[in-house]
Amino acid sequence: MNTTAPEERNSTEEQAAIDTSKMSAGQRAALELTEAARDGVSERGSFAGGQFMGRLGLDAVHPFPVQKPEDRDQGDAFLERLERFLRENVDPDEIDRTGEIPDAVIKELAAMGALGIKIPPAYGGLGLSQTNYCRAAILLGSYCGNLTALISAHQSIGVPQPLLLFGNEEQKRRFLPRVARDEISAFALTEPGVGSDPARMQTHAEPTADGKEFILNGEKLWCTNGTKAGVIVVMARTPPKMVNGKPKDQISAFIVEMDMPGVEVTHRCRFMGLRALYNGVVRLTDVRVPRENILLAEGKGLRVALSTLNTGRLTLPAACVGLSKRCVEIVRKWANERVQWGAPIGKHAAVADKIARMAANTFAMEAMTLYTASLVDRDKKADIRLEAAMCKMWGSEASWEIVNDTMQIRGGRGYETADSLRERGDEPVAVERLFRDSRINTIFEGSSEIMRLFIAREALDPHLKMAAPALDSRLPWAQRMKAALKAGWFYARWYPKQLLPRFQVSDSTFDPVVRRHLRYAARASRRLARALFGAMLVHGPKLERQQVLLGRFVDIGTELFAIAATCARAQALLALRADAEKRELLELVDYFCRSARLRIERLFHGLRNNADRNSYRLAQAVLAGKHEGVEQGIVGRPD
Ligand SMILES: Cc1cc2nc3c(=O)[nH]c(=O)nc-3n(C[C@H](O)[C@H](O)[C@H](O)COP(=O)(O)OP(=O)(O)OC[C@H]3O[C@@H](n4cnc5c(N)ncnc54)[C@H](O)[C@@H]3O)c2cc1C
């Protein structure tokens, strides 16, 4: 595990890793900017990273990390209060209906410390661990999406998280007690032209003549909590820096007070779900922000944003775990009591198949999330970027399937609103609200497509470092030859190792069911490394553009992570269970691993057998308007 503070790491090596010379200007700008902000990692020791190099580092997940009793007790005390408060005082359907969270609810949450769960007591917070924070997100996610978003946007990406990671002591003393106590915060990166591509950022900050302040101008879109916040983190372009005689774009992170002259919320955005989200357009007009409000350093804003999101995005899969648990509960009840065609619907195989998948995926999601949270608890500066991204991508996609299946199993009642159900005397189960609220999860805090690119970049990193200089047309021949020899020597020793069987953890430690699946995972990890290496040889630097192919590698790696976390957690739980319960747990784990293995085999098959080229060509033809017939027969719209 790399524990070097992000600010201390050197990214020059990474900047040279990708040949951008043949890219379009827009692609080059986007890539160079994110590469420059990416933390340079000399040797990834992470579990998820090792898989792509053929190393299933089981000793990283097994024995599965268990919460220390003291930590667990602290968490339990807070979670009990939170659970009681939610159950007795919060009506998520009313919040959804009115589009407002009552002030009394926010006040009470603040009073119990829910705004400062991870903030150390020295700054007025509860000082709970990442695991306890994730447990709170599970609880909230099972109940009210709007409250989850409020708390999470404030704490996971709003002012507390970047301040804890990068703030200096003076900044921490100024802002943390405020945001821990009662002041809501937000994170403002997105702009009309900036979604997944920060290189297009327009908001800019010019230093004053004396350099003591910056003058910010621009407009931020979809800033969650923006309409309620007292203080927000704003990403803005600052004057370019000369690097090797060329101007390099700079982005800086500013702490901005919402009552500073020139800050205004011009619009409250409304969405399909999360109807009580306090999300707005924030306009900045000649806002004077003192230099002391810059986080980390001038020009390091993107690094602040990316690192904040690396840990911050773990809250979202935790909330997805809560949502999925709620769905399993709803479906268990309904599929038992609803009788159709002579049997409870849970007895019909088509429904049972969905229920099994829901339960197994929920267990796996929780295992992945708790494991990743434990890494942060072990080491606050742990590099969890890959694990957190996998949790976010896999968790948001799996929970979307779960909520979709829940709607299918609830049938017409799934599609009916809770209010309407209640009004006609039926049980007001709010699947329709859960469905609307959760659709955004695969889009924000890094869309699934961007997560796959991000994971692929990290997965390819060891290969890029080794092989890319040899293929980089920007470098002189002599340097490329030297790099080629070095890479050749490395791969001549590395590749044969990927063909040899090995299993690092003593077999007798595992239950036979668990062992069987872990053995498969170890084999599949080496197969993944060989296949990835093969793709590098076939595609060379162009592999970076093969998004669909890379996505399959990423999905295989993520499924392997899911298998390993699931098996390790199950193994730890087995020790605590009676025999009958052991059998049930093993059944669940066995089913999960069998289905994950089927998915993995399909993905391996797809590496060679696919229609990727055809699909790309067809999409380009559609985009060029060559298949207008497909759109014929619909009501016309002005262009
Ligand atoms: C409810 C809500 C709350 C939000 N809260 C915040 C917040 O608090 N702070 C904040 O800063 N932002 C926030 N956002 C913004 C959110 O993070 C963005 O919506 C997200 O980053 C995607 O940007 P975009 O919507 O502009 O999509 P785009 O970036 O325009 O992408 C459109 C589609 O293209 C795909 N795509 C884009 N680039 C690539 C690529 N290179 N390769 C493959 N596919 C690609 C995307 O995955 C997506 O499917 C929020 C958005 C919403 C809707």
Side-chain angles (χ1 to χ4, degrees):
M1 186 66 46
N2 187 303
T3 55
T4 318
E7 65 273 31
E8 290 162 19
R9 293 177 195 151
N10 181 351
S11 64
T12 44
E13 201 179 347
E14 272 68 33
Q15 285 174 45
I18 296 176
D19 181 357
T20 54
S21 58
K22 296 190 182 76
M23 293 178 177
S24 72
Q27 269 180 325
R28 186 162 55 241
L31 201 104
E32 285 180 353
L33 196 67
T34 38
E35 280 293 302
R38 187 178 160 267
D39 293 335
V41 179
S42 52
E43 172 56 34
R44 276 198 59 87
S46 91
F47 176 82
Q51 294 172 140
F52 295 99
M53 287 300 281
R55 271 194 321 266
L56 193 82
L58 277 179
D59 39 359
V61 279
H62 172 74
F64 193 81
V66 228
Q67 263 192 296
K68 293 201 177 83
E70 190 192 335
D71 185 48
R72 180 153 202 110
D73 290 348
Q74 276 184 344
D76 286 351
F78 172 68
L79 292 173
E80 265 168 40
R81 270 192 297 152
L82 180 60
E83 198 266 342
R84 195 172 338 109
F85 173 72
L86 293 175
R87 191 164 24 87
E88 292 172 4
N89 299 285
V90 176
D91 179 349
D93 289 319
E94 192 192 343
I95 289 177
D96 176 65
R97 190 185 319 118
T98 58
E100 299 293 337
I101 301 172
D103 281 346
V105 168
I106 299 178
K107 264 198 192 129
E108 190 50 42
L109 284 170
M112 74 171 73
L115 298 185
I117 299 177
K118 283 200 303 172
I119 297 175
Y123 302 107
L126 297 180
L128 296 187
S129 61
Q130 180 71 33
T131 301
N132 283 330
Y133 179 54
C134 281
R135 290 173 67 203
I138 292 175
L139 196 66
L140 284 160
S142 74
Y143 197 65
C144 179
N146 287 297
L147 274 187
T148 313
L150 178 103
I151 299 281
S152 164
H154 164 68
Q155 259 170 113
S156 302
I157 57 173
V159 172
Q161 183 69 21
L163 207 54
L164 286 170
L165 283 175
F166 299 107
N168 57 39
E169 194 47 42
E170 200 269 329
Q171 289 172 332
K172 286 181 183 171
R173 268 190 287 107
R174 264 173 66 210
F175 294 106
L176 281 179
R178 284 169 51 186
V179 292
R181 212 170 34 235
D182 54 8
E183 204 164 338
I184 300 218
S185 69
F187 173 79
L189 169 67
T190 303
E191 296 179 10
V194 179
S196 312
D197 179 3
R200 300 172 70 94
M201 189 172 290
Q202 296 292 314
T203 299
H204 55 99
E206 305 302 331
T208 51
D210 60 8
K212 287 186 179 159
E213 289 176 311
F214 281 79
I215 300 181
L216 269 66
N217 279 287
E219 190 171 84
K220 292 294 179 182
L221 181 62
W222 296 326
C223 180
T224 298
N225 291 351
T227 65
K228 273 257 180 243
V231 62
I232 66 176
V233 175
V234 174
M235 299 295 149
R237 203 174 270 285
T238 39
K241 220 165 76 180
M242 295 304 278
V243 177
N244 299 333
K246 281 193 202 154
K248 276 269 171 210
D249 286 337
Q250 302 285 299
I251 289 175
S252 302
F254 293 87
I255 303 177
V256 173
E257 307 264 6
M258 291 300 280
D259 61 2
M260 282 174 167
V263 182
E264 57 179 326
V265 177
T266 56
H267 176 71
R268 178 171 173 192
C269 308
R270 297 288 188 170
F271 302 98
M272 158 192 177
L274 298 181
R275 289 192 172 158
L277 206 63
Y278 291 106
N279 180 297
V281 175
V282 178
R283 185 173 297 156
L284 304 148
T285 314
D286 293 332
V287 181
R288 298 179 85 93
V289 182
R291 181 178 279 278
E292 303 87 82
N293 284 23
I294 292 183
L295 277 164
L296 186 55
E298 188 181 338
K300 301 280 185 198
L302 206 53
R303 179 165 294 192
V304 171
L306 297 181
S307 301
T308 298
L309 282 166
N310 280 339
T311 314
R313 65 166 61 97
L314 197 52
T315 319
L316 197 139
C320 290
V321 172
L323 166 73
S324 305
K325 283 172 182 270
R326 168 70 66 224
C327 287
V328 173
E329 183 210 44
I330 292 170
V331 157
R332 180 178 49 74
K333 195 157 173 271
W334 182 243
N336 269 317
E337 74 189 30
R338 176 71 173 169
V339 176
Q340 292 286 282
W341 289 52
I345 56 171
K347 297 282 181 204
H348 299 306
V351 175
D353 181 57
K354 291 184 180 60
I355 297 171
R357 202 167 42 242
M358 289 169 71
N361 286 356
T362 302
F363 184 88
M365 207 186 297
E366 190 170 24
M368 293 160 86
T369 307
L370 291 179
Y371 166 70
T372 309
S374 80
L375 297 179
V376 181
D377 289 334
R378 229 183 289 167
D379 174 0
K380 289 269 173 291
K381 295 211 185 273
D383 180 2
I384 60 157
R385 73 181 94 162
L386 261 180
E387 287 79 0
M390 285 179 171
C391 288
K392 198 278 172 182
M393 182 188 82
W394 198 91
S396 61
E397 291 184 352
S399 62
W400 172 242
E401 191 190 349
I402 287 172
V403 84
N404 193 27
D405 281 347
T406 306
M407 176 162 289
Q408 192 69 18
I409 293 172
R410 282 278 296 167
R413 286 167 182 80
Y415 194 65
E416 189 172 3
T417 66
D419 282 348
S420 171
L421 286 162
R422 188 184 301 104
E423 280 156 18
R424 62 177 187 76
D426 212 329
E427 195 186 350
V429 182
V431 175
E432 175 265 348
R433 168 170 60 79
L434 300 180
F435 187 89
R436 280 188 286 108
D437 284 355
S438 60
R439 182 59 189 89
I440 188 64
N441 290 339
T442 57
I443 297 174
F444 63 8
E445 293 192 25
S447 67
S448 282
E449 290 78 10
I450 296 300
M451 286 297 90
R452 285 195 168 81
L453 291 186
F454 176 86
I455 297 166
R457 169 67 187 90
E458 298 302 331
L460 283 175
D461 193 52
H463 292 296
L464 282 174
K465 278 203 195 117
M466 192 52 67
L471 304 167
D472 192 339
S473 57
R474 296 169 298 179
L475 298 176
W477 269 107
Q479 206 173 326
R480 290 178 68 181
M481 281 306 290
K482 204 172 144 201
L485 284 173
K486 190 175 158 206
W489 172 240
F490 170 79
Y491 286 114
R493 286 173 304 145
W494 175 82
Y495 195 83
K497 280 194 214 155
Q498 306 316 312
L499 296 164
L500 298 173
R502 68 197 134 96
F503 191 53
Q504 301 97 324
V505 175
S506 141
D507 280 8
S508 59
T509 344
F510 293 105
D511 178 276
V513 173
V514 172
R515 186 192 312 146
R516 184 156 37 87
H517 293 305
L518 285 175
R519 278 196 174 147
Y520 168 85
R523 279 197 310 276
S525 156
R526 293 196 297 279
R527 191 171 156 207
L528 170 64
R530 293 198 303 270
L532 192 54
F533 176 65
M536 292 264 305
L537 289 183
V538 172
H539 296 282
K542 288 194 190 126
L543 180 58
E544 183 266 330
R545 278 174 251 167
Q546 300 288 327
Q547 291 191 348
V548 183
L549 185 68
L550 281 175
R552 291 191 188 94
F553 287 115
V554 166
D555 287 348
I556 293 171
T558 308
E559 294 286 357
L560 290 176
F561 174 41
I563 289 180
T566 301
C567 284
R569 180 162 182 247
Q571 188 62 49
L573 291 175
L574 282 173
L576 311 172
R577 303 229 168 153
D579 280 352
E581 288 175 333
K582 274 186 189 162
R583 257 196 317 279
E584 282 157 12
L585 178 60
L586 285 169
E587 247 170 43
L588 183 136
V589 170
D590 189 41
Y591 172 76
F592 174 76
C593 293
R594 280 169 187 269
S595 21
R597 285 169 66 164
L598 286 172
R599 289 193 291 270
I600 290 172
E601 290 305 317
R602 269 200 300 274
L603 287 160
F604 271 125
H605 182 75
L607 292 175
R608 286 176 182 277
N609 303 280
N610 57 60
D612 293 354
R613 272 196 206 168
N614 310 58
S615 82
Y616 192 78
R617 254 203 321 268
L618 174 59
Q620 301 319 303
V622 171
L623 291 170
K626 290 185 182 150
H627 289 279
E628 276 177 349
V630 175
E631 298 170 34
Q632 266 168 15
I634 58 174
V635 177
R637 282 200 319 165
D639 272 342

